Amino acid sequence: MADEEGPTVELRQRKKLKSSENKESVKEEKISDTPIPERAPKRSHMTFSQHVSLDSFGCGSFKVFLVFSDLDSSEEYWSDVLFQRFAKIFIGCLAAVTSGMMYALYLSAYHERKFWFSNRQELEREITFQGDSAIYYSYYKDMLKAPSFERGVYELTHNNKTVSLKTINAVQQMSLYPELIASVLYQATGSNEIIEPVYFYIGIVFGLQGIYVTALFVTSWLMSGTWLAGMLTVAWFIINRVDTTRIEYSIPLRENWALPYFACQIAALTGYLKSNLNTYGEVHEVYKIYIFSLFLGYLLQFENSALLVSPLLSLVVALMLAKCLQLNVKKGTFIAKIMKVINFYLVCTLTVTLNIIMKMFVPHRENGHMLKFLEVKFGLNMTKNFTMNWLLCQESLQAPSQDFFLRLTQSSLLPFYILVLIICFLSMMQVIFRRIGGKSLKETITLEDGRIGGRPEIIYHVIHTILLGSLAMVIEGLKYLWTPYVCMLAAFGVCSPELWMTLFKWLRLRTVHPVLLALILSMAVPTIIGLSLWKEFFPRLMTELMELQEFYDPDTVELMTWIKRQAPVAAVFAGSPQLMGAIKLCTGWMVTSLPLYNDDDLLKRNENIYQIYSKRSAEDIYKILTSYKANYLIVEDAICNEVGTTRGCRVKDLLDIANGHVVCEEGDKLTYSKYGRFCHEVKINYSPYVNYFTRVYWNRSYFVYKINTVISFQS
């Protein structure tokens, strides 16, 4: 009975199954006829094991469908991600390049408006290069006149046509590599048939300034993760350009060539530290790059021994040696802490030892002038030396004025910089103390961690900006190295969610989700700053471009014209170093001194030639000038009757102090000179001055005297 019922039951079940299959087929037909609404593709999270389990239940066709749908959605997802990332990078790069180009065009337009450069003759254009800038450009002209590049380089490295009785290596003393490269590019690119040499020269410098701004943009972008920080960096840089660059006043300065490359190096190092730094060994790679760069600089600077005896080189070598001697010890243990102390002591000891050894075996010249300068600068010593006091009176070597800080505050740069620096510095110290304490820290830092001071590139920039800022607080001229850094760091901070998250972690903010608020502030704060800067400063920039200024110096033009027409080709001129630089550029005549301060002999020459503004006899001045084979003397009325600068910093005051004609310190004896001030007395044309000097040209600003070779005394 059981055997008979079995097949019957099975048959019934099959019939039921068949009927159910018919119903399902009908349903599938209905469903197939019904239009299916399109849905946005979603990312499938089904794994390979889930597909296998479906197949084991006899759903192979459904598994194949899920596999293909999963692949399609994943491809679409990743394509969207890649497209968004590409669009972000493309827009950021476009903004960076555009910012640099616009800044270069702005400088060119401003320069044209200020000097009316295109409407002037060549002599009037060259006069706009003042002081040491005139010397740099004059050698660029000499390279273009040379019959070949090799001959031009030889004449510069063995130059005896600039300073009387002196052969100098101009490339070494004045770092003329920019002029060498510019002259090669001008001739190799065929630009001599298209553009004038002066336009090509200043065009290169303005282009480098565009690269400078672009590098600052990229650095801030790399640190913050948004190109909005780069835009804010550029805005602050241009608004505060009085304190970020001297390009508007002196184009050929060495800093205008060097700082763009310096900014590019910082950008490259920032990217390296941000992306590759996971172990102490990769810091090790940075040390190798530094040593290679220093050795290359040593060769290019004609074996400059000062680079080899640098304390920084000794420190880097000591760090590399300490790394080699470092033992692998488990972190957090007492032995590890002891090893850190020993390693620190080893680095310090090796640094001092290596520096002493290098100074013993490497021939070098001690920079005594710099040490004396710092002693007098900080009030540790007093001096009557004219050169030292003259340097101390230069505005660029004095401490920054209150106006400097006021300008940075008015543009909102300084307050935000201080806020960002404090947060980054405290976070950095927090991380350092945790590591010293042996606490384990996550290798990968996320936004929720609120630990911005743990990022290697942030640590580097915090230390860097503190060092540069300390120098800028002592010497105002170094603000042109520090202030661009301030723009970049402040812009990065206000645009970085990590910085705001670090602050909220300390404040233990709970009312609002801190991550959400950090993201909002990183967008809102720079937007508000940018709009306020646009409203306040953009009209001023446009007004500066619209104003027609004029550089008018007819007296100097007349002087240069007279020299070129009347003075013998072999004549040697004596006068202030700044004027001698202009004479070298505009006329090509030989001079007795140059506005350079890295050569002891030139410094001594400058002090001796400046004696024409002291209370010395005609005979003394004559002996000084003839010792340098000078044929003509130029007296500047602006120096002789100087009243504008602070009393005690005028050239004639400094000379009186050095010659003992006024009381400098308590206890000094006052020495009265029986001679009047030479620059005044020689204008009166009476004996004995007319016996030594004959006036041959004068105008409102300059008096030119021929130095007599045959002295005839008149009663």
Side-chain angles (χ1 to χ4, degrees):
M1 201 57 190
D3 295 336
E4 292 178 358
E5 290 179 0
T8 307
V9 174
E10 184 179 359
L11 181 62
R12 289 173 182 172
Q13 288 177 346
R14 286 178 179 175
K15 287 181 178 179
K16 289 181 179 179
L17 180 61
K18 187 176 181 180
S19 62
S20 64
E21 288 176 357
N22 293 333
K23 291 179 181 179
E24 288 178 3
S25 64
V26 172
K27 288 181 180 179
E28 288 177 0
E29 291 177 0
K30 292 181 179 179
I31 292 172
S32 63
D33 295 336
T34 306
I36 301 174
E38 294 183 358
R39 293 183 180 180
K42 295 182 180 179
R43 184 185 178 189
S44 174
H45 297 283
M46 188 171 290
T47 62
F48 177 74
S49 61
Q50 289 174 319
H51 295 312
V52 173
S53 64
L54 286 173
D55 186 48
S56 64
F57 283 96
C59 301
S61 61
F62 186 60
K63 182 216 74 167
V64 173
F65 170 75
L66 287 176
V67 167
F68 282 105
S69 65
D70 179 50
L71 290 174
D72 292 341
S73 61
S74 297
E75 289 177 359
E76 292 179 4
Y77 171 78
W78 287 113
S79 64
D80 289 343
V81 170
L82 291 175
F83 176 77
Q84 292 175 5
R85 183 169 297 179
F86 174 78
K88 179 182 178 181
I89 294 175
F90 176 77
I91 295 174
C93 292
L94 183 63
V97 173
T98 303
S99 299
M101 293 178 61
M102 293 298 292
Y103 180 60
L105 292 174
Y106 168 80
L107 289 176
S108 179
Y110 182 81
H111 183 262
E112 176 63 27
R113 287 281 182 174
K114 183 177 181 180
F115 295 109
W116 288 31
F117 216 66
S118 60
N119 297 320
R120 294 186 175 276
Q121 300 296 323
E122 182 180 6
L123 178 59
E124 294 175 315
R125 292 174 182 173
E126 292 177 348
I127 287 175
T128 62
F129 297 110
Q130 299 289 320
D132 51 350
S133 296
I135 297 297
Y136 299 129
Y137 184 73
S138 71
Y139 287 121
Y140 167 71
K141 285 181 57 180
D142 292 344
M143 282 297 299
L144 295 180
K145 295 176 182 177
S148 66
F149 177 76
E150 294 78 8
R151 183 61 187 176
V153 173
Y154 179 82
E155 290 180 354
L156 291 186
T157 53
H158 303 79
N159 186 278
N160 57 1
K161 299 178 181 179
T162 300
V163 182
S164 62
L165 302 178
K166 187 175 179 65
T167 300
I168 61 175
N169 185 340
V171 179
Q172 178 183 10
Q173 284 196 259
M174 305 174 199
S175 302
L176 294 180
Y177 285 107
E179 282 68 29
L180 297 181
I181 296 172
S183 63
V184 169
L185 291 176
Y186 182 71
Q187 294 175 333
T189 58
S191 300
N192 52 345
E193 300 176 358
I194 304 172
I195 189 173
E196 296 179 54
V198 64
Y199 281 109
F200 185 83
Y201 184 86
I202 64 176
I204 290 180
V205 181
F206 289 158
L208 285 174
Q209 299 311 299
I211 295 175
Y212 187 16
V213 165
T214 301
L216 293 174
F217 184 111
V218 171
T219 305
S220 187
W221 179 15
L222 287 171
M223 294 173 67
S224 64
T226 172
W227 49 265
L228 188 62
M231 297 293 290
L232 188 57
T233 300
V234 175
W236 265 328
F237 181 92
I238 296 176
I239 289 170
N240 295 281
R241 68 188 186 284
V242 175
D243 302 303
T244 56
T245 178
R246 287 191 287 186
I247 186 69
E248 296 177 7
Y249 309 104
S250 189
I251 294 175
L253 286 179
R254 301 299 84 182
E255 65 195 52
N256 294 331
W257 293 89
L259 289 180
Y261 295 102
F262 177 69
C264 290
Q265 291 173 8
I266 290 177
L269 184 58
T270 301
Y272 178 81
L273 294 175
K274 181 180 176 65
S275 59
N276 294 328
L277 191 65
N278 294 318
T279 62
Y280 185 77
E282 290 171 342
V283 181
H284 208 62
E285 295 298 322
V286 176
Y287 295 156
K288 293 179 181 178
I289 294 172
Y290 170 79
I291 292 178
F292 172 77
S293 302
L294 188 139
F295 179 71
L296 185 63
Y298 169 76
L299 295 178
L300 291 177
Q301 295 183 26
F302 299 88
E303 300 181 0
N304 185 359
S305 59
L307 296 176
L308 298 182
V309 298
S310 167
L312 186 58
L313 175 61
S314 302
L315 175 62
V316 170
V317 175
L319 287 169
M320 296 181 70
L321 291 174
K323 170 63 179 176
C324 297
L325 300 175
Q326 192 173 6
L327 300 176
N328 292 325
V329 183
K330 186 177 180 181
K331 295 181 179 180
T333 61
F334 176 75
I335 297 177
K337 296 179 181 179
I338 295 297
M339 290 303 298
K340 287 181 180 179
V341 175
I342 294 175
N343 188 65
F344 177 77
Y345 175 77
L346 181 63
V347 169
C348 295
T349 306
L350 282 174
T351 300
V352 176
T353 305
L354 289 173
N355 193 250
I356 293 174
I357 292 174
M358 293 295 287
K359 289 184 176 180
M360 288 174 59
F361 292 97
V362 176
H364 67 286
R365 184 182 62 182
E366 292 291 344
N367 199 344
H369 289 290
M370 181 59 67
L371 294 176
K372 290 180 181 179
F373 172 81
L374 293 175
E375 288 179 0
V376 178
K377 174 75 176 176
F378 293 111
L380 302 177
N381 200 352
M382 295 288 291
T383 182
K384 296 181 181 180
N385 182 269
F386 168 81
T387 302
M388 194 67 61
N389 287 327
W390 185 83
L391 290 173
L392 287 169
C393 285
Q394 299 304 301
E395 184 179 355
S396 60
L397 296 178
Q398 295 179 359
S401 62
Q402 293 182 353
D403 294 337
F404 166 64
F405 300 103
L406 182 61
R407 288 191 297 269
L408 297 187
T409 304
Q410 288 175 342
S411 64
S412 71
L413 174 59
L414 189 59
F416 283 108
Y417 167 75
I418 293 174
L419 173 65
V420 171
L421 181 61
I422 290 175
I423 295 175
C424 292
F425 179 77
L426 293 179
S427 179
M428 182 186 75
M429 297 305 297
Q430 188 179 37
V431 171
I432 291 174
F433 284 126
R434 284 182 179 179
R435 290 189 181 276
I436 293 175
K439 295 182 180 180
S440 59
L441 296 173
K442 291 169 59 178
E443 291 293 333
T444 304
I445 302 173
T446 61
L447 177 60
E448 291 80 2
D449 295 332
R451 185 156 52 91
I452 196 170
R455 289 166 50 184
E457 73 274 18
I458 303 301
I459 296 174
Y460 164 74
H461 284 294
V462 167
I463 296 174
H464 210 176
T465 189
I466 290 175
L467 291 175
L468 293 178
S470 301
L471 294 174
M473 294 303 103
V474 178
I475 300 176
E476 186 175 10
L478 294 176
K479 71 179 181 181
Y480 301 106
L481 192 62
W482 178 63
T483 312
Y485 224 104
V486 172
C487 299
M488 181 267 295
L489 201 66
F492 137 74
V494 297
C495 296
S496 173
E498 289 185 62
L499 183 128
W500 297 109
M501 191 63 195
T502 303
L503 179 62
F504 296 153
K505 277 281 188 179
W506 294 340
L507 299 177
R508 298 183 179 180
L509 186 66
R510 300 186 185 278
T511 55
V512 183
H513 198 285
V515 175
L516 178 61
L517 185 58
L519 291 171
I520 293 174
L521 287 179
S522 65
M523 295 293 292
V525 173
T527 302
I528 294 172
I529 295 173
L531 291 175
S532 63
L533 293 177
W534 178 277
K535 181 179 179 181
E536 183 176 356
F537 292 98
F538 183 75
R540 300 185 189 179
L541 295 177
M542 293 298 102
T543 303
E544 290 177 354
L545 288 180
M546 296 303 294
E547 284 183 349
L548 291 175
Q549 306 180 45
E550 185 173 6
F551 181 82
Y552 187 65
D553 191 2
D555 292 343
T556 305
V557 172
E558 292 174 5
L559 173 65
M560 301 303 169
T561 303
W562 181 88
I563 292 174
K564 295 175 73 173
R565 292 177 178 176
Q566 302 296 330
V569 177
V572 177
F573 284 83
S576 69
Q578 288 71 26
L579 180 60
M580 295 301 101
I583 290 177
K584 170 63 176 70
L585 168 61
C586 298
T587 68
W589 265 246
M590 192 175 290
V591 295
T592 56
S593 60
L594 291 174
L596 299 173
Y597 312 107
N598 57 354
D599 184 274
D600 292 340
D601 181 63
L602 287 177
L603 287 173
K604 188 62 178 177
R605 281 175 176 246
N606 293 344
E607 181 177 352
N608 289 337
I609 299 300
Y610 266 129
Q611 295 295 325
I612 62 178
Y613 301 104
S614 68
K615 298 178 180 180
R616 300 281 293 271
S617 67
E619 183 180 2
D620 289 344
I621 302 299
Y622 180 82
K623 289 179 179 179
I624 291 173
L625 296 176
T626 53
S627 67
Y628 297 122
K629 301 298 181 181
N631 304 118
Y632 290 89
L633 168 66
I634 304 178
V635 176
E636 298 174 62
D637 196 61
I639 300 178
C640 189
N641 299 316
E642 188 176 8
V643 293
T645 57
T646 307
R647 185 173 179 82
C649 273
R650 298 178 299 182
V651 170
K652 53 187 179 182
D653 295 335
L654 298 174
L655 289 168
D656 290 343
I657 292 173
N659 296 334
H661 296 155
V662 296
V663 176
C664 179
E665 302 177 47
E666 187 176 351
D668 285 351
K669 293 183 178 180
L670 177 62
T671 304
Y672 291 99
S673 175
K674 61 181 180 179
Y675 305 103
R677 199 167 299 280
F678 175 83
C679 62
H680 289 152
E681 301 297 325
V682 74
K683 296 177 185 178
I684 304 176
N685 285 334
Y686 69 93
S687 183
Y689 295 93
V690 293
N691 302 329
Y692 297 99
F693 307 98
T694 303
R695 186 165 65 190
V696 292
Y697 172 81
W698 72 94
N699 59 28
R700 292 176 301 176
S701 302
Y702 304 103
F703 295 81
V704 182
Y705 297 89
K706 189 178 187 304
I707 302 173
N708 298 329
T709 54
V710 178
I711 304 174
S712 59
F713 288 92
Q714 302 175 7
S715 58

